[in-house]
Amino acid sequence: MLRIAMAADEPHFLGHRQRLRERILKNPHEAESYELLELLLGYVNKRSDTKPLAKDLLKHFGSLWGILNAHPTELETIHGVGESSKIFFILLRELVARYFVEPIKEKKSVTLDDIAMLARCMLDGLCHEEIWVALLDNNNRLLSFDRVQTGIMDAAFCSAKMIAEIAITKKASALVLIHNHPGGVTKASWADRETTLHIQKVMKLMGIRLLDHLIIADGKVISLANNHLLDENETILNDNEKSIL
């Protein structure tokens, strides 16, 4: 009798959640995005109906990609998102990023596309600028992928000295400079190009090759090398730069 009374007191959504779990385990590819999100949130909010929250998040941010790239302060604007949910999304984003990043780091030789993928995983969707460097040896093996500087909404300062110190410490022979444009502008600014050319000259004096400068913006990766912007005799293109991804 006690068991029956307890079952009657259980929230109605617990039975639904169990059925959803069983269905997704059988065929996760057929599940709707909100159902996947609903079930994941159920592990954070065990005593709440997470279906309305999952739908509200997708409606507000447009997609799972939008949710994972949302800043914690943006998530707070959605009713039902508490501290546990914010931590959950931070952890989920980091897990997804590392899922793509770790195989790249294990390669004996990486390509520019590999570095671009790695950069997108780490920088795409940030609401502030960050500057990173991918450091390589003579065989194009990735030695490390390091954050150089964190800035504000639309600016981050980076000196050639800061990059040189990291490159020397890691015994790098070449590097790729990377930063993001939170505003989504898919174009290198004059400041981007001037800074790149200065860093390029300093690295050359040290015997380190600057292979490229990648800009992450609006889901795209812009290559200054592909757009001939590492050569000081070239002019900046008037239209949007070519994207490599």
Side-chain angles (χ1 to χ4, degrees), residues 45-240:
N45 304 308
K46 295 183 178 180
R47 304 297 296 179
S48 300
D49 184 359
T50 53
K51 185 175 181 178
L53 177 57
K55 288 189 171 183
D56 286 347
L57 285 165
L58 283 169
K59 182 179 180 180
H60 184 85
F61 294 106
S63 63
L64 293 174
W65 183 90
I67 295 170
L68 290 182
N69 282 324
H71 191 270
T73 55
E74 292 181 281
L75 292 169
E76 286 177 342
T77 64
I78 307 300
H79 178 70
V81 175
E83 191 66 21
S84 296
S85 296
K86 286 193 299 180
I87 294 172
F88 164 77
F89 284 120
I90 291 171
L91 292 174
L92 184 58
R93 175 188 168 89
E94 186 63 22
L95 282 170
V96 172
R98 294 189 188 195
Y99 174 82
F100 289 103
V101 167
E102 289 178 357
I104 294 174
K105 287 184 175 180
E106 294 299 319
K107 283 189 172 185
K108 293 182 178 180
S109 178
V110 298
T111 65
L112 186 59
D113 284 344
D114 289 329
I115 296 173
M117 174 64 75
L118 192 156
R120 279 189 63 186
C121 288
M122 302 303 291
L123 278 77
D124 204 9
L126 294 180
C127 63
H128 60 274
E129 281 202 9
E130 291 192 357
I131 300 171
W132 290 64
V133 286
L135 301 171
L136 299 90
D137 64 13
N138 276 324
N139 296 316
N140 288 334
R141 181 173 65 91
L142 184 66
L143 299 174
S144 68
F145 188 71
D146 298 315
R147 182 192 289 112
V148 179
Q149 189 64 274
T150 298
I152 56 176
M153 170 62 186
D154 58 356
F157 171 76
C158 177
S159 70
K161 180 181 178 181
M162 295 166 66
I163 294 175
E165 288 176 348
I166 296 174
I168 291 171
T169 300
K170 300 295 175 68
K171 299 180 180 180
S173 300
L175 65 88
V176 176
L177 184 64
I178 303 152
H179 86 284
N180 62 313
H181 282 177
V185 178
T186 56
K187 186 176 180 67
S189 67
W190 282 104
D192 292 336
R193 182 169 180 256
E194 291 294 318
T195 300
T196 305
L197 292 175
H198 174 64
I199 292 172
Q200 184 180 33
K201 291 177 181 177
V202 173
M203 294 301 109
K204 187 175 182 180
L205 291 173
M206 298 174 59
I208 301 173
R209 296 170 293 142
L210 176 61
L211 302 178
D212 205 344
H213 182 173
L214 304 179
I215 298 174
I216 315 300
D218 195 29
K220 300 181 177 64
V221 182
I222 308 304
S223 162
L224 269 68
N226 280 1
N227 289 281
H228 312 293
L229 301 182
L230 295 188
D231 185 340
E232 59 184 347
N233 295 318
E234 295 287 340
T235 58
I236 289 182
L237 302 179
N238 290 323
D239 55 356
N240 283 353

